């Protein structure tokens, strides 16, 4: 809290608040990130907008036909997501860009409410283990029943499916843990799971 207050004083023109979800309210796919990045979503007010992680995320969504328009790292860029909504496990900027377990737990009811509000939701794509576990807990599933594995799909209550990917963070991209090809493949798995979710 104190660091957010300090940031509000230092950067009064930044968003500096609980970042709302962005995308299609009729989404079949919810992408769940970790938390707003300091100079990304915390500055611009739109998830993954203005940081390194967003470049890969929005580029891949565009390449797969899930976003229309040009991503220009600015909430005023007119980008429209089609069938997709993006949210975060934690809504406010965490200290040192690293959310505590208490913060993740206190944001979980918001995540649960977002997922609950999506009547057409079929697939959730979790970016990273924290988002993966938080989605499971938000839906009443014990994480031990569906361990995080990059690219794997797990059934969720109500015939929905959870697909998980390493987070598209700068660290994961720079260390080669996540390549552009791997990230695209995870999104393609989410798309493939859509049709199997509809058949259940
Ligand atoms: N920006 C977000 O909104 N979420 C993340 O997880 C990372 C960057």
């Amino acid at each position: 809290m104190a660091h957010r207050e300090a940031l509000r004083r230092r950067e009064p023109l930044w968003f500096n608040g609980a970042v709302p979800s962005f995308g299609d309210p009729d989404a079949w796919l919810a992408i769940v990130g970790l938390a707003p990045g300091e100079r990304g979503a915390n500055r611009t007010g739109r998830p993954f907008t203005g940081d390194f992680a967003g470049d890969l995320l929005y580029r891949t969504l565009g390449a797969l036909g899930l976003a229309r328009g040009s991503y220009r790292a600015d909430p005023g860029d007119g980008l429209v997501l089609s069938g997709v909504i993006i949210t975060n496990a934690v809504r406010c900027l965490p200290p040192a860009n690293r959310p505590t377990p208490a913060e993740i737990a206190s944001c979980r009811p918001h995540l649960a409410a977002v997922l609950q509000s999506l009547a057409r939701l079929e697939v959730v794509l979790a970016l990273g283990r924290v988002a993966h576990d938080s989605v499971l807990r938000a839906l009443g599933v014990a994480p031990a029943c569906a361990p995080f594995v990059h690219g794997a799909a797990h059934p969720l209550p109500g015939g929905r499916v959870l697909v998980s990917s390493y987070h598209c963070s700068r660290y994961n991209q720079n260390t080669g843990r996540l390549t552009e090809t791997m990230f695209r493949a995870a999104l393609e798995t989410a798309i493939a799971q859509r049709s199997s979710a509809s058949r259940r």
Side-chain angles (χ1 to χ4, degrees), residues 19 33-37 40-41 46-49 51 53-54 86-88 127 167:
V19 174
L34 174 59
R46 194 175 76 178
F48 286 93
T49 298
D51 59 24
I86 304 176
T87 194
N88 279 309
L127 304 184
H167 193 284

Side-chain angles (χ1 to χ4, degrees), residues 15-109:
F15 183 78
N16 288 321
V19 174
S21 308
F22 166 57
D24 186 347
D26 288 329
W28 63 268
L29 173 63
I31 298 179
V32 182
L34 174 59
E38 182 175 307
R39 288 162 185 277
N42 176 67
R43 176 175 59 87
T44 63
R46 194 175 76 178
F48 286 93
T49 298
D51 59 24
F52 193 85
D55 290 347
L56 176 57
L57 174 58
Y58 286 114
R59 184 164 68 244
T60 310
L61 289 174
L64 294 175
L66 299 172
R68 292 195 309 276
S70 302
Y71 169 70
R72 287 197 301 272
D74 177 340
D77 58 15
L79 189 75
V80 176
L81 304 188
S82 154
V84 178
I85 195 161
I86 304 176
T87 194
N88 279 309
V90 170
R91 298 196 313 155
C92 293
L93 174 72
N97 272 335
R98 191 177 279 269
T100 62
E103 203 166 12
I104 297 163
S106 70
C107 283
R108 192 165 302 121

Side-chain angles (χ1 to χ4, degrees), residues 9-194:
R9 281 194 297 275
R10 197 192 84 198
E11 302 289 352
L13 299 181
W14 288 11
F15 183 78
N16 288 321
V19 174
S21 308
F22 166 57
D24 186 347
D26 288 329
W28 63 268
L29 173 63
I31 298 179
V32 182
L34 174 59
E38 182 175 307
R39 288 162 185 277
N42 176 67
R43 176 175 59 87
T44 63
R46 194 175 76 178
F48 286 93
T49 298
D51 59 24
F52 193 85
D55 290 347
L56 176 57
L57 174 58
Y58 286 114
R59 184 164 68 244
T60 310
L61 289 174
L64 294 175
L66 299 172
R68 292 195 309 276
S70 302
Y71 169 70
R72 287 197 301 272
D74 177 340
D77 58 15
L79 189 75
V80 176
L81 304 188
S82 154
V84 178
I85 195 161
I86 304 176
T87 194
N88 279 309
V90 170
R91 298 196 313 155
C92 293
L93 174 72
N97 272 335
R98 191 177 279 269
T100 62
E103 203 166 12
I104 297 163
S106 70
C107 283
R108 192 165 302 121
H110 296 290
L111 175 61
V114 169
L115 298 176
Q116 179 82 37
S117 72
L118 298 170
R120 294 175 191 254
L121 182 66
E122 294 179 56
V123 182
V124 179
L125 176 66
L127 304 184
R129 187 183 304 268
V130 171
H132 172 95
D133 286 357
S134 207
V135 167
L136 290 170
R137 289 201 170 97
L139 297 175
V141 180
C145 298
F148 174 86
V149 176
H150 173 82
H154 295 285
L156 291 174
R160 293 166 172 173
V161 179
L162 172 63
V163 175
S164 297
S165 167
Y166 291 128
H167 193 284
C168 47
S169 64
R170 182 192 294 272
Y171 179 83
N172 283 347
Q173 293 187 57
N174 285 350
T175 56
R177 174 177 288 235
L178 182 74
T179 63
E180 182 143 7
T181 307
M182 287 166 71
F183 189 63
R184 185 183 169 119
L187 256 160
E188 285 171 338
T189 299
I191 293 170
Q193 287 295 330
R194 180 192 190 182

